[in-house]
């Protein structure tokens, strides 16, 4: 109970404190400290759920089960490492003259509030509050995407705001329909928006209404997941915002939005016993994988390149949840974890690489390894990991998804394999000359923070070789819940 | 309509007014009049929520009616007026599609919305169920308005009026969402508006204009 309160209170308080104290020398330290405390609280909460099972708190308004608890821990962890990374990164940006103190104040306050909205979205039991929190996540990041105030970043932020705003309005309509169907069974007071209550009566919910609701919810939250054809905002927002923001957008926000989709899918599956929800998820997932793979080969900006790779991976996970079943769901959850860790590590490395080269253009970042081996190898290993090379964890989850697809949806396997192959060729051929060869980059005024990169990659490596029994038990339990 | 109680008839009337206002917004070229129309939509929404509250005895709807009145009739139009004064932009709105065509597309959307609403409103137990189609139509028309306008402020008004339509859907189909959710939604709308205000100044500072044609540079490399 108290842990749950702490997970939400630390980022909220951190955000307010950082907004009040403004840009001081110790502001980045407060940012790191708030994130660390959040992570500790999340770890304690995870332990508690591991020992005592699911937790309902505050008049059933908050709910922690094996599906969201590992996402809470993951979100708090990546939130913390990103705060560690952003300390030297933002300092270098300031010395390069791209940011003023007032903007750093905005950045720190919004960063903590963004973490708060994501954790709230994960922990709430109320489907309406889930919507409010996800909209809040959009609002807190809009000003972060436009932090540099360049024409391109303003355009990216505007696109992000309008597309995600319109998208999420569709999700609100879906939520209203869900409430409409549930109210008849549960009564208007209290329980009709609580997920646990909805889950209890899902078999009696009106199938027609739930089908229409799911279409709206999928389109709405799917916009935030970046599913094709609703993905237009994603590459721009990733490329134009500051790198720590790209890392948390890709690593965390997409996961949280997908979490919302999957929670809704569980309810719809209970009410509509056909393949309806599954087929929709598989269709959107596969389209995202294939389209993103082809667009990867046209990218010239390194952050856009990895943003498209995020669309591809979100597609893979959506496809896995669409197939359903114990193994595919397990693999989907594992893939959520390893993608989040790997992609944020890559963005950390890419961020410093772009600072060294003074540009995000792939053609002008060359020979990182000779100038700074840590950044070079971090980027190279991260890229190999995200492309699904063994022994990293991404290989394990993609392998499970592919083998399940061969058995259950054989028609989809050629598309998946081709897309993964194309993505490999596209990304590897671009990153290889960035890492090796004649160098074009210069030294940085501060030591870059490479620790988070290697911690993340080490975790991904461990997950590829051996999944801790506790985590595996969670995944299995969650996979059963998702159905 | 003879069998309906008086309040249900009033709500049907207000629903029709909302739809008319949505069409009027679609046809309106001047940005100041657009804000007036948006405020009028807020008034109609407040009235309909209050009438549902009165007719059905749902006390929490009085609060959402009050919230709607404050937020959508006073605060948001006031922020928009202030923004326009401070930014000194009173230009006419030019759409990308001419007005008669937009209206025709709008009519098609209304027909589509009624078809979509039909199976749902069959299941509703509320007296106001026939208005669900109109609520969906309002959402669709606002969406159309956002697509056809090139300037930033009309797009935002479209966005806000889409939220009006959704709110109307919630009251007409279900007698309103739980209070905590409505408060959260109102907070999001308000914060969103403030952020947009900040954002307008950033756009203006950068481009000397709020025309969104400046914001069409980010494209896929050929």
């Amino acid at each position: 109970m108290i842990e749950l309160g702490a997970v939400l209170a630390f980022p909220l308080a951190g955000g307010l404190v950082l907004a009040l104290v403004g840009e001081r020398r110790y502001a980045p330290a407060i940012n790191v400290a708030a994130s660390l405390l959040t992570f500790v609280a999340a770890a304690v909460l995870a332990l508690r759920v591991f020992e005592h099972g699911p937790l309902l708190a505050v008049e059933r308004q908050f709910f922690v089960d094996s599906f969201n608890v590992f996402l809470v821990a993951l979100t708090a962890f990546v939130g913390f490492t990103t705060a560690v990374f952003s300390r030297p990164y933002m300092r270098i940006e300031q010395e390069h003259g791209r940011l003023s103190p007032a903007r750093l104040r905005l950045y720190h306050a919004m960063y903590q509030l963004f973490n708060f909205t994501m954790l709230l979205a994960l922990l709430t039991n109320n489907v309406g509050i889930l919507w409010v929190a996800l909209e809040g996540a959009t609002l807190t990041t809009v000003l972060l995407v436009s932090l540099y105030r360049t024409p391109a970043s303003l355009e990216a932020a505007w696109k992000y705001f309008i597309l995600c705003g319109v998208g999420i309005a569709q999700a609100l309509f879906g939520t209203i329909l869900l409430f409409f169907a549930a109210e008849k069974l549960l009564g208007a007071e209290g329980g009709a928006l609580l997920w646990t209550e909805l889950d209890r009566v899902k078999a009696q919910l009106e199938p027609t209404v739930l089908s229409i609701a799911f279409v709206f919810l999928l389109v709405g939250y799917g916009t935030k997941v970046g599913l094709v054809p609703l993905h237009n905002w994603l590459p721009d927002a990733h490329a134009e915002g500051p790198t720590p923001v790209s890392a948390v957008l890709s690593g965390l926000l997409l996961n949280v939005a997908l979490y919302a989709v999957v929670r809704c899918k569980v309810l719809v599956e209970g009410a509509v016993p056909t393949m309806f929800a599954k087929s929709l998820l598989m269709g959107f997932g596969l389209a995202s994988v294939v389209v993103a793979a082809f667009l990867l080969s046209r990218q010239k900006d390194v952050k856009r390149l990895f943003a498209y790779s995020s669309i591809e991976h979100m597609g893979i996970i959506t496809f896995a949840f669409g197939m359903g079943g114990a193994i595919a769901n397990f693999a989907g959850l594992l893939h959520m974890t390893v993608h989040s860790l790997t992609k944020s590590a890559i963005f950390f490395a890419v961020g410093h690489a772009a600072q060294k080269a003074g540009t995000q253009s792939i053609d002008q970042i060359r020979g990182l390894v000779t100038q700074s081996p840590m950044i070079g190898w971090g980027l190279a290993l991260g890229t190999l990991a995200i492309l699904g090379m063994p022994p990293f964890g991404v290989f394990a989850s993609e392998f499970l998804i592919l083998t399940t697809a061969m058995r259950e949806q054989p028609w989809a396997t050629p598309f998946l394999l081709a897309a993964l192959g194309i993505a490999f060729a596209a990304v590897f051929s671009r990153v290889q000359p960035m890492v090796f060869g004649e160098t074009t980059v210069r030294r940085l005024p501060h030591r870059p923070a490479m620790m988070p990169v290697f911690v993340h990659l080490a975790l991904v490596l461990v997950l590829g070789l051996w999944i801790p029994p506790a985590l595996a038990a969670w995944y299995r339990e969650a996979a059963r819940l998702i159905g | 309509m003879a069998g309906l109680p008086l309040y249900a008839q009033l709500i049907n009337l207000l629903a029709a007014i909302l739809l008319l206002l949505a069409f009027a917004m679609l046809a309106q070229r001047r940005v100041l009049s657009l804000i007036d129309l948006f405020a009028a939509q807020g008034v109609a929404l407040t009235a309909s929520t209050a009438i549902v509250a009165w007719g059905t005895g749902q006390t929490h709807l009085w609060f959402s009616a009050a919230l709607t009145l404050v937020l959508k009739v006073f605060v948001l139009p006031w922020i928009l007026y202030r923004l326009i004064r401070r930014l000194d932009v009173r230009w006419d709105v030019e759409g990308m599609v001419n007005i008669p065509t937009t209206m025709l597309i709008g009519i098609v959307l209304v027909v589509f919305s009624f078809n979509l609403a039909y199976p749902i409103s069959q299941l509703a137990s509320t007296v106001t169920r026939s208005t669900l189609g109109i609520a969906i139509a309002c959402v669709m028309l606002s969406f159309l308005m956002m697509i056809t306008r090139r300037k930033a402020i009309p797009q935002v008004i479209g966005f806000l009026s889409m939220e009006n339509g959704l709110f109307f859907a919630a009251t007409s189909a279900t007698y309103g969402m739980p209070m905590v959710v409505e408060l959260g939604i109102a907070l999001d709308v308000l914060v969103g508006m403030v952020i947009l205000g900040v954002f307008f100044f950033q756009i203006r500072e950068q481009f000397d204009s709020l025309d969104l044609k400046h914001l069409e540079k980010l494209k896929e490399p050929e």
Side-chain angles (χ1 to χ4, degrees):
Chain A
M1 190 77 127
I2 183 133
E3 310 87 316
L4 202 156
V7 170
L8 293 175
F10 284 127
L12 184 61
L16 297 179
V17 168
L18 283 164
L20 284 177
V21 301
E23 186 45 33
R24 303 280 163 78
R25 218 158 29 81
Y26 51 80
I30 298 179
N31 192 33
V32 173
S35 300
L36 177 63
L37 287 172
T38 313
F39 173 56
V40 171
V44 176
L45 179 71
L47 271 180
R48 198 190 138 98
V49 172
F50 178 62
E51 279 171 13
H52 301 288
L55 176 80
L56 262 176
V58 201
E59 296 180 0
R60 300 179 296 170
Q61 289 295 325
F62 293 96
F63 177 57
V64 195
D65 67 358
S66 44
F67 179 27
N68 58 9
V69 72
F70 87 90
L71 281 173
V72 170
L74 181 70
T75 302
F77 176 70
V78 176
F80 164 60
T81 49
T82 307
V84 172
F85 158 75
S86 91
R87 214 177 144 186
Y89 181 84
M90 289 316 240
R91 212 164 138 197
I92 298 169
E93 288 294 279
Q94 203 180 359
E95 293 198 6
H96 284 179
R98 297 187 70 186
L99 286 172
S100 66
R103 304 224 185 123
L104 278 175
R105 175 190 203 155
L106 176 76
Y107 165 77
H108 284 128
M110 284 299 169
Y111 180 78
Q112 287 297 326
L113 289 179
F114 174 54
N115 275 313
F116 167 73
T117 55
M118 282 192 297
L119 290 165
L120 179 65
L122 289 171
L123 286 170
T124 183
N125 190 22
N126 190 321
V127 190
I129 298 295
L130 172 66
W131 184 89
V132 172
L134 272 175
E135 171 75 6
T138 310
L139 294 178
T140 46
T141 38
V142 165
L143 291 182
L144 291 183
V145 170
S146 69
L147 198 69
Y148 293 131
R149 309 272 165 92
T150 56
S153 74
L154 282 172
E155 180 184 343
W158 178 258
K159 219 172 178 180
Y160 176 50
F161 185 88
I162 289 294
L163 279 176
C164 283
V166 170
I168 208 142
Q170 314 297 315
L172 178 60
F173 188 65
T175 311
I176 292 171
L177 287 178
L178 199 59
F179 179 64
F180 167 75
E183 181 208 36
K184 283 202 215 41
L185 299 166
L186 297 163
E189 293 311 311
L193 272 179
L194 297 183
W195 190 83
T196 41
E197 297 296 303
L198 288 166
D199 189 45
R200 197 162 51 79
V201 298
K202 63 184 174 189
Q204 301 154 35
L205 293 171
E206 177 57 46
T208 333
V209 180
L210 267 262
S211 308
I212 300 177
F214 186 66
V215 173
F216 279 99
L217 287 164
L218 179 61
V219 169
Y221 293 137
T223 311
K224 292 215 85 160
V225 182
L227 295 177
V228 170
L230 314 160
H231 65 283
N232 263 325
W233 64 273
L234 194 145
D236 297 339
H238 279 66
E240 304 305 331
T243 304
V245 175
S246 319
V248 279
L249 279 180
S250 244
L252 302 178
L253 181 67
L254 306 186
N255 269 358
V256 177
L258 188 59
Y259 162 84
V261 172
V262 175
R263 279 280 191 218
C264 299
K265 175 221 162 206
V266 174
L267 300 176
V268 177
E269 289 241 287
V272 191
T274 55
M275 285 291 284
F276 173 71
K278 286 189 159 108
S279 322
L280 271 180
L281 284 180
M282 281 195 288
F284 271 103
L286 203 58
S288 307
V289 178
V290 173
V291 171
F294 278 100
L295 286 172
L296 271 172
S297 56
R298 293 171 54 183
Q299 299 311 315
K300 299 192 162 58
D301 179 307
V302 62
K303 278 166 81 178
R304 279 183 87 85
L305 180 77
F306 285 109
Y308 274 104
S309 152
S310 291
I311 299 176
E312 184 211 343
H313 285 274
M314 282 296 133
I316 293 177
I317 303 170
T318 311
F319 180 79
F321 288 140
M323 282 196 294
I327 303 175
N329 283 338
F330 182 96
L333 295 165
L334 177 63
H335 202 85
M336 269 173 127
T337 316
V338 289
H339 171 256
S340 170
L341 291 168
T342 318
K343 191 50 67 65
S344 41
I346 289 176
F347 271 114
F348 299 159
V350 161
H352 279 315
Q355 281 182 328
K356 289 175 84 72
T359 167
Q360 286 172 208
S361 164
I362 293 173
D363 293 337
Q364 289 166 46
I365 307 177
R366 285 289 177 261
L368 285 169
V369 120
T370 35
Q371 225 289 308
S372 53
M374 294 283 268
I375 297 176
W377 283 113
L379 181 60
L381 287 174
T383 306
L384 287 176
I386 205 73
L387 289 172
M389 284 286 103
F392 290 103
V394 182
F395 170 76
S397 54
E398 280 183 354
F399 183 77
L400 282 174
I401 292 170
L402 273 174
T403 46
T404 320
M406 276 177 206
R407 204 168 46 246
E408 287 174 15
Q409 310 288 344
W411 58 273
T413 328
F415 294 106
L416 281 176
L417 278 174
L420 287 176
I422 293 165
F424 188 95
V427 176
F428 192 76
S429 66
R430 275 169 183 67
V431 174
Q432 198 265 347
M434 285 173 64
V435 175
F436 302 104
E438 210 51 50
T439 189
T440 60
V441 295
R442 57 200 153 88
R443 289 183 67 81
L444 290 174
H446 289 285
R447 253 171 68 87
M450 291 312 286
M451 201 55 200
V453 177
F454 289 99
V455 171
H456 281 202
L457 290 178
L459 283 173
V460 175
L461 183 64
V462 169
L463 285 174
L465 299 171
W466 173 75
I467 301 176
L471 192 61
W474 268 337
Y475 284 156
R476 265 196 291 277
E477 174 65 18
R480 196 185 54 74
L481 279 174
I482 302 170
Chain B
M1 287 287 164
L4 283 177
L6 174 67
Y7 76 90
Q9 293 188 31
L10 280 175
I11 288 166
N12 282 340
L13 176 69
L14 284 167
I17 291 177
L18 270 178
L19 190 62
L20 270 179
L21 284 171
F23 268 107
M25 282 169 113
L26 211 52
Q28 184 53 257
R29 286 175 175 277
R30 288 175 37 82
V31 72
L32 284 174
S33 317
L34 214 49
I35 300 177
D36 292 338
L37 284 172
F38 173 71
Q41 229 181 19
V43 173
L45 209 55
T46 311
S48 76
T49 314
I51 290 170
V52 176
W54 167 64
T56 61
Q58 301 272 333
T59 40
H60 78 275
L61 279 181
W62 288 111
F63 292 105
S64 27
L67 194 66
T68 314
L69 183 71
V70 172
L71 192 66
K72 286 171 190 159
V73 181
F74 296 115
V75 177
L76 292 180
W78 178 74
I79 295 179
L80 284 167
Y81 266 120
R82 252 184 82 89
L83 269 177
I84 288 188
R85 236 195 350 267
R86 289 269 301 277
L87 291 165
D88 200 29
V89 276
R90 294 222 179 101
W91 20 252
D92 291 349
V93 184
E94 92 263 21
M96 294 198 282
V97 189
N98 67 24
I99 301 251
T101 318
T102 321
M103 297 301 247
L104 282 177
I105 301 174
I107 292 170
V108 174
L109 281 179
V110 173
V111 174
F112 169 75
S113 314
F114 272 84
N115 270 318
L116 185 67
Y118 183 72
I120 307 171
S121 50
Q122 285 309 17
L123 300 159
S125 51
T126 56
V127 290
T128 46
R129 63 186 189 188
S130 50
T131 52
L132 189 66
I134 293 188
I136 300 180
C138 286
V139 175
M140 294 283 176
L141 289 177
S142 318
F143 197 34
L144 181 64
M145 180 174 147
M146 289 183 73
I147 296 171
T148 54
R149 298 294 165 88
R150 325 193 46 124
K151 297 262 166 85
I153 290 185
Q155 277 208 352
V156 168
I157 296 175
F159 182 68
L160 292 171
S161 103
M162 180 186 275
E163 208 272 328
N164 276 350
L166 287 169
F167 182 85
F168 190 62
T171 39
S172 65
T174 65
Y175 294 150
M177 307 272 265
M179 206 56 215
V180 52
V181 178
E182 269 184 20
L183 282 176
I185 294 171
L187 180 75
D188 274 350
V189 170
L190 190 64
V191 172
M193 195 59 229
V194 171
I195 288 181
L196 272 172
V198 176
F199 204 63
F200 283 153
F201 283 99
Q202 296 180 4
I203 294 181
R204 245 267 300 235
E205 195 182 318
Q206 191 61 242
F207 301 108
D208 276 333
S209 137
L210 280 177
D211 195 323
L212 296 178
K213 71 170 187 268
H214 300 293
L215 298 185
E216 283 166 12
K217 301 276 168 3
L218 285 177
K219 291 225 172 76
E220 283 311 312
E222 293 305 321

